[in-house]
């Protein structure tokens, strides 16, 4: 289980140590994994366009196709609240990490969102997450999942 930061962090974000700590906490809520996790700052990554920068700033994590490494963003919307002790954000972050682990195993959005939902549902079922707040989150996640799955399927169709 390897954590590393790939770039310096922006001053308005949690420190490197805080980000690594909170991602490790999120990972500890999941079954053990041998998939390495790296931390990246979307403001420091070299990109080719403003569109790529916007994309990197909009995500919590990613897996580069063909690699078996999860990269979690310092700009992910749950990193800062989780680093400040927001337990709900920590459980959401853990479910996002589970999602990325699925991509690291070279599977698509359908499988990744199914895993993310199952992990979060387990947090609700075991009382780790408030049921009403958790169900609201899952409802929002399903809308995002539906959109991302459709987008992925359209890309596959256009590549044929």
């Amino acid at each position: 289980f390897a954590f590393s930061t790939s770039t310096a962090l922006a001053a308005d974000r949690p420190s490197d140590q805080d980000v690594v700590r909170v991602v490790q906490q999120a990972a500890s809520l999941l079954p053990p994994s041998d998939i390495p996790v790296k931390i990246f700052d979307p403001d420091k990554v070299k990109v080719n366009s403003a569109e790529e920068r916007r994309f990197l700033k909009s995500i919590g994590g990613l897996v580069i196709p063909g690699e078996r490494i999860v990269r979690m963003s310092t700009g992910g919307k749950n990193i800062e609240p989780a680093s400040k002790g927001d337990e709900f954000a920590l459980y959401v972050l853990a479910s996002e990490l589970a999602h990325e682990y699925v991509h690291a195993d070279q599977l698509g959005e359908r499988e990744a969102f199914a895993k993310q939902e199952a992990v979060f549902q387990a947090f609700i079922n075991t009382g780790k997450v408030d049921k009403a707040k958790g169900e609201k989150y899952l409802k929002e996640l399903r809308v995002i999942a539906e959109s991302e799955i459709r987008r992925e399927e359209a890309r596959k169709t256009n590549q044929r």
Side-chain angles (χ1 to χ4, degrees):
F1 202 88
F3 281 90
S4 67
T5 54
S6 55
T7 60
L9 300 178
D12 61 340
R13 299 224 179 96
S15 71
D16 288 12
Q17 291 173 331
D18 286 341
V19 171
V20 170
R21 177 188 50 79
V22 77
V23 173
Q24 286 175 327
Q25 281 181 302
S28 75
L29 299 172
L30 301 171
S33 174
D34 65 342
I35 298 171
V37 177
K38 293 187 177 191
I39 309 297
F40 76 93
D41 182 337
D43 290 323
K44 305 289 184 190
V45 175
K46 187 176 180 178
V47 296
N48 296 317
S49 68
E51 183 180 340
E52 287 179 5
R53 173 82 58 221
R54 278 190 300 276
F55 169 74
L56 287 177
K57 288 181 144 195
S58 73
I59 60 172
L62 63 85
V63 172
I64 296 172
E67 292 188 0
R68 197 166 188 266
I69 300 169
V70 170
R71 289 174 168 79
M72 297 301 286
S73 172
T74 60
K77 68 180 182 178
N78 291 295
I79 292 282
E80 186 175 352
S83 72
K84 292 180 178 177
D86 181 331
E87 285 194 19
F88 187 82
L90 181 63
Y91 284 101
V92 171
L93 183 61
S95 74
E96 291 173 345
L97 186 55
H99 177 115
E100 297 305 332
Y101 283 160
V102 171
H103 287 314
D105 284 332
Q106 308 306 310
L107 296 171
E109 292 297 349
R110 184 175 304 282
E111 297 86 355
F113 276 108
K115 180 67 170 185
Q116 185 173 358
E117 182 175 339
V119 163
F120 202 81
Q121 187 65 58
F123 293 151
I124 294 169
N125 294 346
T126 57
K128 294 176 180 166
V129 170
D130 174 76
K131 185 174 180 152
K133 192 172 181 180
E135 292 295 338
K136 181 178 182 228
Y137 167 74
L138 285 178
K139 185 176 180 182
E140 294 166 0
L141 180 65
R142 289 178 191 120
V143 170
I144 294 166
E146 187 177 308
S147 172
E148 290 299 314
I149 291 165
R150 273 198 312 264
R151 185 177 307 155
E152 181 180 68
E153 289 171 350
R155 274 193 310 268
K156 287 178 182 176
T157 300
N158 291 337
Q159 289 175 353
R160 292 180 190 157

